Amino acid sequence: MVIDYHAHLPWDRGKDRYLVGDCLEDMDANGIDVRMISALDGYSIREQNEAVQRAVEAHPDRLIGAAVINPRARDCYEEMEHVVASGAFRAIELDGAEHSYYPETQRPWLDPILELAQEHGLVVNCFTGWGPRSMPAQWALFAQRFPRLPFVMLHMGTTDFGYGCIKMVPEHDNIYVETSCLYEFPIIRRALAAIDHRKILFGTHYPHKSTHCSLHAFDLLDLDEGFVERHRHLNAKELLGL
C-alpha cells in the first residue's frame, strides 16, 4: 500500500475547473492507493477548499482532504470554522511563502486556528524549504505552544533548511516530516540516521513534481523493507488514524 501524504488538486485556470480525474489517473498509473490533497490554486480559499471537499466526498476511499488556511485573510477564522463543520478534512495546510507572511508575526490569528485544529483532531501541515517565510524553526515556535497538536514539516525543509529541520525534529515529540521535493541524498541519509522512522512521511507534491520520481528516488538508497513500509503508508495511517 502507498499513501501519498502531500499533493495538490490540479486546476485549469482557463476553464476554472479542478482536475480530479487527472489526479486519480496519476494515482492509478503510479500505484498510489490513497492521496491527501489540498488546493493552493484558485480564485478564493473558500472555492479551493470546497473543491477539495467535493473531491473527497466523491472518492472517500482514495482521497483525504487538507484545507488551506491563510491567516492574513479577513475571514480566516470563519474559514477554519467552515472547514471543521464540513467534516471533510483531516489536516490544514499553512504556507507562509504562498500567502506572503512570516509565521511568527501571525500568532494572534494563527493561535485561534490552531486551537480549533487541536480541538477537532486535525493535523497541521506547514510548508517549508524555500526562503525566509518557510523556515521549519518558525513553525517549531507553534509546535512548542501546542504540544498535543501534530505538525508536519512539508518537504522537510528541502535544500534551504533540510539540515536544520533534521536537527529540530528530535527535540519535539509532535513534529513530523514529509519527504517530497527531496532529492539530495546526503540530507535524506542524515534524516534517516537522526529522526525516528515513525515520523517520516512519504509525499509527492503532485502535480508540481513527478509522482514516479518521488517514489523511486528512495529506491536508489537501498533501504530496508521495514522503513519502506513505514515511510510509504504505516506512518501516515497512524498519524491520521486511518
Side-chain angles (χ1 to χ4, degrees):
M1 183 177 192
V2 180
I3 298 175
D4 177 1
Y5 186 83
H6 179 57
H8 299 294
L9 192 57
W11 180 52
D12 181 335
R13 181 174 180 175
K15 297 179 180 178
D16 191 15
R17 184 167 63 92
Y18 288 93
L19 308 178
V20 179
D22 288 12
C23 178
L24 294 169
E25 288 176 12
D26 178 79
M27 293 169 66
D28 292 338
N30 290 284
I32 304 293
D33 297 284
V34 179
R35 170 171 272 169
M36 179 180 282
I37 55 169
S38 63
L40 276 180
D41 296 320
Y43 289 119
S44 76
I45 295 290
R46 174 61 59 87
E47 291 176 339
Q48 292 159 216
N49 287 335
E50 287 186 342
V52 170
Q53 180 179 342
R54 290 192 299 272
V56 169
E57 290 174 347
H59 305 279
D61 57 332
R62 304 296 307 278
L63 300 175
I64 298 170
V68 171
I69 300 292
N70 177 8
R72 294 189 67 198
R74 181 183 290 113
D75 62 346
C76 59
Y77 187 77
E78 288 76 12
E79 181 62 23
M80 184 64 184
E81 290 181 313
H82 182 75
V83 163
V84 167
S86 75
F89 299 91
R90 291 184 177 267
I92 61 171
E93 186 169 331
L94 302 171
D95 189 335
E98 179 74 18
H99 296 129
S100 190
Y101 64 85
Y102 295 93
E104 67 274 19
T105 69
Q106 299 300 306
R107 178 176 165 182
W109 299 275
L110 280 170
D111 276 2
I113 289 167
L114 295 176
E115 287 167 3
L116 264 185
Q118 182 170 265
E119 180 182 347
H120 292 276
L122 301 182
V123 179
V124 180
N125 296 336
C126 305
F127 174 82
T128 69
W130 287 279
R133 295 179 173 91
S134 64
M135 294 185 284
Q138 293 167 310
W139 293 111
L141 298 173
F142 292 94
Q144 290 171 352
R145 300 187 60 255
F146 292 88
R148 294 187 292 111
L149 184 60
F151 287 76
V152 177
M153 303 294 115
L154 300 175
H155 316 304
M156 203 171 75
T158 62
T159 51
D160 280 6
F161 308 113
Y163 289 110
C165 186
I166 291 165
K167 183 177 183 297
M168 181 189 76
V169 173
E171 300 172 355
H172 302 83
D173 292 339
N174 59 330
I175 293 183
Y176 299 73
V177 294
E178 178 272 331
T179 60
S180 63
C181 304
L182 275 171
Y183 305 114
E184 291 200 19
F185 284 1
I187 294 177
I188 296 172
R189 289 193 176 99
R190 179 73 63 86
L192 296 176
I195 297 175
D196 184 337
H197 288 184
R198 293 171 296 182
K199 300 176 78 174
I200 303 175
L201 307 163
F202 168 74
T204 64
H205 198 45
Y206 167 87
H208 308 292
K209 299 294 182 182
S210 161
T211 300
H212 177 83
C213 289
S214 297
L215 279 164
H216 296 292
F218 282 83
D219 292 344
L220 300 174
L221 292 169
D222 192 28
L223 301 168
D224 69 80
E225 286 300 317
F227 172 77
V228 171
E229 189 175 21
R230 284 218 146 269
H231 181 226
R232 290 196 175 178
H233 72 95
L234 283 181
N235 290 343
K237 287 177 72 174
E238 290 172 4
L239 178 61
L240 297 171
L242 301 179

